[in-house]
Amino acid sequence: MRRRKVNNLLALAVLSGLVPQPAHPYELARTLRQWNKDEDLGFRWGSYYTVIGNLAKHGLIEPVGTERAGTRPERTVYRLTPAGRDELVDWVGELLSEVGEQRPRFVAGLSVMAILPPAEVLEALRMRATQLERTVGQRRGELEGFRSTVPRLFLIEDEFQLAQLESELAWVKALVGELEAGTFPEMDEWARRIDALGEDQEEGRP
């Protein structure tokens, strides 16, 4: 994975949003929101204008004029440069082909779940499974609703996200099943260790 001059995913969204035609930042942000790119790419809007400035600074986008609507201030219109298009093509190819590091919050929770008693972990995972089931049902319904009017090419990220959710739900349910049945490896030892830790804390032992 090569180092990029502007490397956050908000920059990727801006570059892709300028492919169809030039736009001023306000118009482009509205389009990206309509496309749900902030949800798809997981970026925050707080650095939006900084990203616009950095892309222009590095020659990936460039101003081509200004627009004025009514009494509002003039807005600079930007277009994608050839260098920006090359960057976008290379970046998308990299994202599609390379397996990168992903550290979702759930992974962080799993990595330290041993500090909780098995019963509390089980309850938390049951809650997650319930939420996942609700989300999967909602996403599946939305996707089916779009299929009659939106080409599959523009739904492919939604398909992938749904597949991820379905896979996670199946995995969580399987783990819940192990904990409920008491077949999770060394579950008794896990529970005894937590009990002993609680006793040590009550008696003030380190």
Side-chain angles (χ1 to χ4, degrees):
M1 184 178 296
R2 74 180 183 85
R3 185 177 180 85
R4 301 187 181 278
K5 295 176 180 178
V6 188
N7 64 359
N8 69 49
L9 292 180
L10 178 51
L12 178 69
V14 169
L15 294 175
S16 66
L18 289 175
V19 168
Q21 61 187 17
H24 57 72
Y26 179 82
E27 176 188 14
L28 179 58
R30 184 174 57 191
T31 299
L32 294 175
R33 284 191 172 98
Q34 289 174 345
W35 293 348
N36 292 323
K37 290 305 175 187
D38 47 346
E39 295 183 15
D40 293 341
L41 299 177
F43 60 73
R44 299 185 183 279
W45 290 101
S47 60
Y48 179 63
Y49 285 96
T50 299
V51 166
I52 294 286
N54 287 338
L55 288 171
K57 174 184 176 182
H58 292 291
L60 302 177
I61 63 175
E62 64 183 3
V64 291
T66 58
E67 288 183 359
R68 182 190 295 275
T71 60
R72 294 178 178 176
E74 285 189 340
R75 292 170 173 163
T76 302
V77 176
Y78 291 91
R79 70 181 175 190
L80 195 63
T81 65
R85 184 176 295 274
D86 289 345
E87 178 77 355
L88 178 60
V89 169
D90 183 71
W91 200 347
V92 172
E94 176 187 285
L95 289 171
L96 291 175
S97 63
E98 296 184 8
V99 178
E101 287 290 326
Q102 296 184 356
R103 299 292 183 191
R105 289 162 54 89
F106 184 44
V107 172
L110 290 173
S111 71
V112 293
M113 76 176 196
I115 68 170
L116 295 178
E120 291 186 23
V121 171
L122 176 57
E123 181 60 26
L125 291 175
R126 283 173 176 157
M127 291 173 61
R128 186 177 190 88
T130 298
Q131 293 178 34
L132 283 169
E133 285 177 333
R134 187 181 305 118
T135 302
V136 164
Q138 179 182 344
R139 293 285 184 89
R140 189 180 289 137
E142 290 173 350
L143 186 58
E144 290 306 314
F146 285 132
R147 288 195 189 281
S148 60
T149 56
V150 180
R152 188 182 177 205
L153 177 62
F154 300 109
L155 295 174
I156 203 70
E157 72 271 24
D158 299 281
E159 286 186 12
F160 177 67
Q161 289 171 344
L162 177 58
Q164 283 186 308
L165 288 169
E166 290 172 334
S167 178
E168 181 181 334
L169 176 58
W171 188 86
V172 170
K173 281 186 170 180
L175 181 54
V176 165
E178 287 186 78
L179 293 172
E180 287 177 336
T183 58
F184 189 85
E186 300 179 350
M187 189 168 171
D188 291 340
E189 177 59 28
W190 172 13
R192 283 195 294 270
R193 187 168 62 249
I194 294 296
D195 288 342
L197 179 61
E199 292 172 0
D200 287 344
Q201 290 176 339
E202 288 179 2
E203 295 175 9
R205 293 198 297 268

